[in-house]
Amino acid sequence: FGAWSSTPPGVRQGIFLKAADLLEARHDEVVSLLARETGCTFGFGMFQLHFVPGLLRQAAALAYAPLGRGFLAGRFSSPDELDEHDFRRRGPRFTGENLKANLQLAGKVREIAAEKGLTPAQLAIAWVLARGDDLVPIPGTKRRTYLEENVAAVDVSLTDEDLAALNEAAPVGIAAGERYPEAGMKHVNL
């Protein structure tokens, strides 16, 4: 079963009731460098990781959008670069002052990646993989070259120093702006 922005008690209940083998972390806040927030539900992290200790020993979690919807990978730095109908053009994290603040985070990720000879996408995915064997990143892509780049992240080994640098660059609560516009946030943490 999937857990779209579910609270940890709801996830535990779902595991008990459904005997699920796999949970889906569906939003940008749980397992991505961009959205690490406290008290979070399942969801993007360097997004954020707010799991109940021991919970993931009962099930695996899919880290949806670990690249911050392409933002951490450097696919865009302004909503003007996106298609007219792209939902990210209206995303609070990708507009105005929030965009400026989040560009600083993306720049730090880019710098650390360059020091390691990686792309920012590979670093962000490797960070998720380093969080535990029960996390499965599922970055979206439309291009084979990006798919190949993303898959190469499984061969990246991050040291304790690398993880400390990333945790310093992207501490819990770093993301500026809500994940979704106000109307969308009404459907989060149900």
Side-chain angles (χ1 to χ4, degrees):
F1 84 100
W4 174 274
S5 300
S6 299
T7 59
V11 171
R12 280 194 302 272
Q13 181 182 17
I15 291 171
F16 178 75
L17 294 175
K18 305 279 186 179
D21 293 323
L22 188 63
L23 295 176
E24 188 173 357
R26 293 277 317 214
H27 53 73
D28 292 323
E29 284 27 26
V30 173
V31 204
S32 162
L33 286 169
L34 180 61
R36 299 179 68 194
E37 301 165 1
T38 59
C40 174
T41 63
F42 274 69
F44 159 16
M46 276 186 186
F47 268 142
Q48 58 194 44
L49 217 49
H50 307 285
F51 300 116
V52 174
L55 174 64
L56 293 181
R57 288 180 179 78
Q58 301 171 36
L62 293 177
Y64 178 82
L67 304 179
R69 305 200 184 277
F71 185 75
L72 289 175
R75 305 293 184 249
F76 68 98
S77 59
S78 166
D80 297 332
E81 297 171 28
L82 300 168
D83 181 73
E84 177 182 339
H85 301 291
D86 192 313
F87 72 96
R88 296 173 293 179
R89 289 181 68 100
R90 294 168 299 287
R93 291 201 168 147
F94 308 127
T95 57
E97 292 302 312
N98 293 335
L99 173 65
K100 291 178 186 175
N102 291 329
L103 281 169
Q104 291 179 5
L105 167 60
K108 292 175 187 176
V109 172
R110 190 172 47 253
E111 289 172 16
I112 295 169
E115 290 171 8
K116 294 197 59 65
L118 302 171
T119 67
Q122 289 169 330
L123 181 65
I125 294 168
W127 179 86
V128 172
L129 293 170
R131 307 292 299 200
D133 292 339
D134 43 12
L135 292 174
V136 181
I138 53 169
T141 186
K142 295 177 184 176
R143 293 174 182 79
R144 182 183 184 115
T145 55
Y146 294 151
L147 174 64
E148 291 168 351
E149 174 185 316
N150 294 344
V151 168
V154 301
D155 296 324
V156 174
S157 294
L158 298 177
T159 65
D160 289 342
E161 294 78 19
D162 296 330
L163 295 172
L166 288 166
N167 287 329
E168 182 178 329
V172 171
I174 189 71
E178 295 288 347
R179 284 176 265 168
Y180 307 113
E182 186 178 343
M185 289 302 295
K186 292 178 181 177
H187 303 285
V188 174
N189 296 336
L190 299 176

